[in-house]
RNA sequence: CCGCUCUUAGCUCAGCCUGGUAGAGCAGCCGACUGUAGAUCGGCUUGCCCCCCGUUCAAAUCGGGGAGAGCGGACCA
């Protein structure tokens, strides 16, 4: 797999393809970043972009993980003291998850976002952005039902972070695309280049296959989960024997979250996947790629219950090191 | 600052006028059926009715005070 392929695999979109191709020519000199609002426990949403960061590191890029304490504050997530405490835990879990320590730089937002120069640039961006545009960019990210002024500033800071972190590639889930498009539009106003962006897919809600999995509602899988928790959650997941389920009775599109997790979480991290299966149903199966597994599920050669069993055990393998880290933090 | 509206189950809301300690839909949970889940069928749970004071035998409901949220405060309508 060449660098370009490695960088873009499993991405929902890349903006623009041409810019990424250029970047892929000298990956060793490039830097990608993702910003996360610190939270005490890594969940499967964090893990999705983290998996992409691991891809990027394997392709040769360096990675900056922004622990966005100021953003979390602006989004009403607590006091600075509380937020910074969770940032440390988050960093440890990312490393446990498999980010390369040598190739990863963790930066706390507050270490540069209060600099005079940064703030002046921020105000310049504010001057170039309408409130409705900023609000639109935040729609998928904000917490609470009424929009605060702080939340309008939020996406502009994301744009500026890309500049101040010296980043060549901004990575995020698809929910970040409006923010990134805003950044591309507005950064030229302060004579900065529009950032190249890479967006990961959103995984559907585990229980229903509708919409996207969210840590705030519905079921999610996190580093807090025991193996038994994971088995229980995966077993309860929506999983028809197809990768393209029918819309539900309200006409909402559905995905197969079990297949999605195989595709976006498991196969990027494991060369082969072994599905253990009782002799009664045909014995073990071995897959060396997502396509063959999905095809077998569709044909009926692989029963969803067996797929779920395998998924739970591989997910547990991904979560276990982070779970250990969390336990260490508890011990302190 | 002024005015109007709202606050009842996890969510959306009904009940308030005509006081008698509460309901619907959705969600959730359990069971049946499928070797998963979903769908279907059967069953079940849940409430400081925003807070305080008062009237009353009795207050979600009436009166007073307070808190929180939403909307409005040129013109037009």
């Amino acid at each position: 797999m060449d660098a370009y392929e490695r960088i873009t695999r499993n991405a929902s979109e890349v903006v623009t393809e041409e810019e990424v191709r250029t970047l892929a020519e000298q990956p060793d000199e490039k830097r990608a970043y993702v910003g996360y609002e610190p939270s005490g426990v890594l969940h499967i949403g964090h893990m999705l972009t983290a998996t992409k960061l691991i891809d990027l590191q394997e392709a040769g890029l360096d990675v900056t993980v922004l622990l966005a304490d100021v953003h979390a504050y602006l989004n009403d997530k607590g006091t600075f003291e509380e937020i910074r405490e969770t940032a440390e835990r988050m960093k440890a879990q990312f490393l446990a998850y498999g980010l390369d320590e040598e190739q990863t730089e963790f930066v706390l937002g507050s270490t540069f976002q209060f600099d005079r120069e940064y703030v002046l640039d921020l105000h310049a961006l504010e001057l170039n952005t309408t409130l409705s545009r900023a609000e639109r960019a935040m729609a998928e990210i904000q917490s609470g039902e009424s929009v605060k002024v702080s939340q309008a500033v939020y996406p502009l800071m994301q744009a500026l972070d890309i500049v101040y972190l010296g980043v060549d590639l901004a990575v995020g889930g698809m929910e970040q695309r409006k923010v990134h498009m805003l950044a591309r539009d507005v950064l030229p106003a302060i004579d900065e280049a529009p950032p190249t962006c890479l967006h990961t897919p959103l995984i559907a809600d585990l229980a229903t296959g509708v919409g996207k999995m969210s840590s705030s509602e519905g079921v999610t899988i996190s580093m807090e989960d025991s193996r038994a928790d994971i088995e229980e959650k995966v077993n309860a997941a929506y999983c028809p024997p197809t990768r393209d389920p029918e819309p539900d009775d309200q006409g909402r599109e559905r995905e197969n979250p079990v297949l999605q997790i195989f595709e976006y979480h498991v196969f990027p991290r494991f060369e082969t996947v072994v599905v253990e299966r009782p002799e009664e149903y045909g014995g073990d199966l071995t897959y060396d790629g997502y396509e063959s597994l999905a095809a077998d599920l569709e044909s009926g050669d692989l029963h969803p219950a067996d797929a779920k069993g395998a998924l739970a055990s591989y997910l547990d393998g991904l979560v276990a090191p982070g779970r250990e880290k969390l336990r260490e933090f508890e011990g302190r």
Side-chain angles (χ1 to χ4, degrees):
Chain A
M1 196 177 323
D2 69 12
Y4 177 80
E5 216 176 310
R6 171 79 69 178
I7 290 166
T8 58
R9 78 160 165 183
N10 285 342
S12 272
E13 72 169 355
V14 122
V15 182
T16 62
E17 208 181 302
E18 200 184 334
E19 291 170 28
V20 174
R21 284 198 188 281
T22 307
L23 189 149
E25 283 166 17
Q26 293 175 303
D28 296 344
E29 298 167 19
K30 305 297 190 220
R31 178 168 289 275
Y33 111 107
V34 184
Y36 300 97
E37 282 187 25
S39 77
V41 177
L42 232 61
H43 57 69
I44 197 164
H46 298 118
M47 285 153 59
L48 188 72
T49 39
T51 299
K52 176 43 69 185
L53 292 180
I54 292 170
D55 271 346
L56 296 175
Q57 291 180 334
E58 284 172 0
L61 282 84
D62 284 322
V63 160
T64 297
V65 171
L66 174 66
L67 301 168
D69 57 342
V70 179
H71 284 93
Y73 179 78
L74 290 174
N75 206 11
D76 206 13
K77 296 290 171 63
T79 66
F80 272 101
E81 202 174 64
E82 291 163 349
I83 294 165
R84 280 176 194 167
E85 225 167 86
T86 63
E88 274 307 305
R89 292 164 52 120
M90 191 174 220
K91 173 180 170 181
Q93 289 171 79
F94 271 122
L95 291 174
Y97 185 66
L99 285 180
D100 184 307
E101 196 151 4
E102 297 297 306
Q103 282 176 289
T104 310
E105 188 181 347
F106 291 89
V107 178
L108 204 57
S110 54
T111 57
F112 67 95
Q113 289 163 342
F114 295 139
D115 292 352
R116 175 191 168 82
E117 199 189 348
Y118 182 99
V119 173
L120 288 178
D121 274 340
L122 179 60
H123 289 328
L125 293 184
E126 289 163 5
L127 214 40
N128 281 285
T129 309
T130 65
L131 201 48
S132 61
R133 179 76 196 269
E135 241 181 88
R136 215 150 37 91
M138 268 308 279
E140 291 283 333
I141 300 158
Q142 70 198 219
S143 67
E145 60 284 336
S146 51
V147 191
K148 309 281 172 51
V149 173
S150 63
Q151 293 171 327
V153 174
Y154 188 113
L156 294 177
M157 287 182 59
Q158 282 181 271
L160 213 48
D161 291 342
I162 295 167
V163 174
Y164 278 76
L165 292 172
V167 164
D168 305 292
L169 179 68
V171 177
M174 278 297 277
E175 82 285 353
Q176 297 290 329
R177 77 180 308 277
K178 284 185 182 173
V179 171
H180 287 159
M181 294 310 119
L182 173 64
R184 285 181 69 90
D185 281 352
V186 79
L187 284 180
I190 57 168
D191 294 321
E192 295 293 344
T196 304
C197 311
L198 184 154
H199 301 135
T200 61
L202 301 177
I203 288 188
D205 180 77
L206 199 55
T208 62
V210 176
K212 65 158 192 158
M213 198 188 295
S214 147
S215 55
S216 50
E217 53 184 277
V219 186
T220 191
I221 288 167
S222 80
M223 299 252 168
E224 259 178 348
D225 289 328
S226 67
R227 186 181 179 108
D229 291 336
I230 294 173
E231 282 169 354
E232 190 179 329
K233 289 175 182 180
V234 169
N235 180 53
Y238 173 71
C239 185
T242 169
R243 61 183 105 185
D244 188 25
E246 293 295 309
D248 71 2
D249 48 20
Q250 291 168 57
R252 294 176 302 186
E253 285 298 319
R254 281 193 287 201
E255 302 293 332
N256 184 325
V258 170
L259 281 180
Q260 287 185 316
I261 295 171
F262 266 115
E263 183 173 17
Y264 301 125
H265 285 281
V266 176
F267 280 106
R269 300 295 301 281
F270 297 93
E271 293 284 311
T272 58
V273 167
V274 177
V275 176
E276 292 179 16
R277 198 167 58 169
E279 282 306 322
E280 177 189 358
Y281 296 121
D284 294 359
L285 290 165
T286 303
Y287 297 100
D288 53 13
Y290 168 72
E291 278 307 319
S292 52
L293 184 146
D296 271 9
L297 188 83
E298 293 199 307
S299 71
D301 291 339
L302 171 62
H303 192 277
D306 294 321
K308 284 180 174 180
L311 181 62
S313 101
Y314 282 90
L315 264 183
D316 183 62
L318 289 172
V319 161
R323 192 164 56 211
E324 281 304 309
K325 272 289 165 210
L326 275 181
R327 208 167 287 158
E328 282 174 32
F329 272 88
E330 297 302 318
R332 274 178 213 175

